[in-house]
Amino acid sequence: MARTVWDSTVGKKTVMAVSGLVMLLYLVAHMIGNLKIFFGTEEFNHYAHWLRTVGEPFMHYEWTLWLIRVVLVVAVVAHAVSAYQLSRRDIKARPSKYVHKKARSSYATRTMRWGGIILGLFIVWHILDLTTGTVHSGGFETGKPYQNVVDTFSTWYGNVIYIVAMLALGLHIRHGFWSAAQTLGAGSRTRDRALKTVANVLALLLTLGFIAVPVGVMTGVVS
């Protein structure tokens, strides 16, 4: 039954919708946590340490954090695979170009695929920069996320990569949230306007919330 559901277009769209909502919930929590950087070094570093001790003593050190990471990896892979397969299926079903050359969809809709690729590459860079420190500039310091964030956004390329990715994220959420609602049956004539408003507000708040951190470093508010 699971294989039958996965092989269907509706099944893949459902996987995309559910995995997307899982990632959206994480992004909201992640943004709120990021904004703690404006309360100073001690507050932000303490928050980062707390993430590793959630659930103690029942959960061992970092077990909860790793559980969250595993769920996120599964969600990202499921989202990417279903998106790719749906895209290939769409191209195969319509091999010729549309008769109307003028785009009738929104900018966010037309850039969903490129936005997904940008975000996928950004996730890899973000992990290598602020989690493992592999590509981090200025000398990565374990247990000192505040200093590491300031180092990253003290470079022009760190700011460019992050801000471009967050703009792509905003467009992705703007279209993706509404699309997920339709897939899961939440949409209707009476609710569509409200859902689109929620999608726009979420996209705007998350974009501004994430971009606030590099802007804070660039302007010296965070230093």
Side-chain angles (χ1 to χ4, degrees):
M1 183 178 293
R3 181 59 185 268
T4 301
V5 172
W6 171 249
D7 286 341
S8 68
T9 298
V10 173
K12 292 183 188 300
K13 286 184 176 180
T14 301
V15 170
M16 270 196 73
V18 173
S19 59
L21 292 176
V22 168
M23 290 186 286
L24 180 60
L25 289 173
Y26 167 76
L27 287 170
V28 172
H30 189 41
M31 181 200 70
I32 294 172
N34 281 2
L35 293 177
K36 288 180 178 290
I37 200 168
F38 290 100
F39 294 95
T41 307
E42 186 176 347
E43 177 85 10
F44 192 69
N45 287 348
H46 176 71
Y47 163 69
H49 175 72
W50 172 81
L51 288 175
R52 288 160 172 74
T53 60
V54 173
E56 288 187 343
F58 179 74
M59 298 291 281
H60 192 61
Y61 182 75
E62 284 196 343
W63 277 14
T64 301
L65 183 60
W66 274 105
L67 180 62
I68 293 171
R69 286 170 175 168
V70 169
V71 171
L72 283 173
V73 168
V74 171
V76 170
V77 172
H79 197 77
V81 170
S82 54
Y84 174 77
Q85 292 184 355
L86 283 169
S87 177
R88 299 303 302 172
R89 186 170 293 184
D90 182 53
I91 293 172
K92 189 175 182 180
R94 193 183 295 272
S96 59
K97 294 183 178 180
Y98 288 98
V99 175
H100 298 285
K101 293 183 179 181
K102 185 179 180 180
R104 295 184 176 183
S105 56
S106 67
Y107 183 77
T109 303
R110 299 197 304 273
T111 56
M112 281 294 283
R113 291 170 186 171
W114 279 110
I117 294 172
I118 290 172
L119 291 172
L121 294 173
F122 169 74
I123 289 172
V124 174
W125 176 82
H126 197 50
I127 291 172
L128 293 176
D129 179 33
L130 292 175
T131 301
T132 66
T134 307
V135 299
H136 185 76
S137 61
F140 185 79
E141 298 182 74
T142 303
K144 294 184 178 181
Y146 183 98
Q147 289 81 350
N148 293 332
V149 169
V150 172
D151 284 344
T152 290
F153 297 129
S154 294
T155 62
W156 68 267
Y157 58 85
N159 289 311
V160 170
I161 292 172
Y162 194 86
I163 292 174
V164 168
M166 292 307 100
L167 292 175
L169 176 67
L171 290 173
H172 211 75
I173 292 172
R174 180 172 176 266
H175 175 71
F177 180 84
W178 184 83
S179 181
Q182 303 305 307
T183 298
L184 298 176
S188 68
R189 286 185 176 180
T190 57
R191 289 196 292 264
D192 277 357
R193 180 175 294 181
L195 287 170
K196 287 182 179 180
T197 300
V198 172
N200 290 334
V201 171
L202 270 174
L204 181 62
L205 289 178
L206 284 169
T207 302
L208 293 178
F210 280 117
I211 290 179
V213 177
V215 171
V217 175
M218 284 189 287
T219 57
V221 175
V222 176
S223 63

